[in-house]
Structures are given as structure tokens and as C-alpha cells.
Amino acid sequence: MLHQVGVNARCKAVAHFFVRYGCSAGKMKISLSILILVLLVVAAAFAPRKGLDAVITALNSGNAAELGRYMDEQVELGLPGKTATYSRMQAVSLLKDFFAQNSVRSFEAKHQGDNGDKQFCIGVLHTRNGAYRTRVLLHSKDGRQLVRLVSFQAD
């Protein structure tokens, strides 16, 4: 009951604002509708790219298991000296070894974007043993963004 009183009080305050500045009930409904529409459009424009952001966070911490959560069943993995398509489990295992040998200091995303149902990121993985130019490609599958390619090249 107390919650309803609070909502009613807020509604009355908004209505009072519109009446005070000469808006009729019809104009008030239109104005509120436009305001809500604008807020939804702005919120959608700034919505995070969940899959890509999570992958960047995993790269930044050198967490192969976390990165594996966002991988497709088959992943093209490019490591110095070897590039091939691996299962998710194989790719995570290889990435764990790579991150163990090259302690990650940070990941710097240089360029990221999307093209239809694909997202990509190009950046630099800074490790104890040097920097690696990094490419990541995600694609849409079953409503999720999944990693299809991860590639590290010595910079």
C-alpha cells in the first residue's frame, strides 16, 4: 500500500508539472510517450556488446577458462608457430599453456566494431615476454555472440 501511495504521489507531481506549464492531458501523454521513446533509443545505442566486452575482460586478465565460456564449439586459434581449428576444450587448454608461458599484463583494444551478426576486435596483448597483435572474431549463434577466431602474432 505504501508503494502505491509513492507511485501516485510521483504521478501527481509529473501531472502538476505539465499542467503548470500549460499542457493538456493529451499533450502530456504525447510528451511522455516521446520522452520514453527517446530514452529507450538512447539506452539501446549505449547498450554494451556483452559477448565482446566479456572476451576483452578475459583477455585482459589472461583467463583462458573465462574466454572458453564465450567460444563456439569449433574455434580457429592462431598461436605463434601454429594455427589450426580446435574444439573448445582443446583451444582452452592451448590458451592456458600460452597464458602460463606469457604472463598477461594487459590487453589494449585498438579497434572494435560489428558487421551485421559479427563482432570483432583488434588489439595488443601485453605479456611478460612481449606484445602480441591480437585478433578476435565473434559470430551470432542461437542468440549469443560466440568466439570463432582468436589469433596472437608476435608484435
Side-chain angles (χ1 to χ4, degrees), residues 18 23-38:
F18 281 102
C23 292
S24 66
K27 286 183 182 178
M28 182 173 65
K29 287 179 183 178
I30 291 171
S31 297
L32 285 174
S33 297
I34 291 171
L35 177 65
I36 290 170
L37 180 63
V38 167

Side-chain angles (χ1 to χ4, degrees), residues 54-68:
V55 168
I56 290 171
T57 300
L59 285 170
N60 195 44
S61 63
N63 189 335
E66 184 66 18
L67 187 56

Side-chain angles (χ1 to χ4, degrees), residues 14 30 38 69 86 88 123 134 141 144:
V14 171
I30 291 171
V38 167
R69 291 184 56 208
Y86 298 99
R88 179 186 308 125
T134 305
K141 184 176 180 183
R144 293 181 59 208

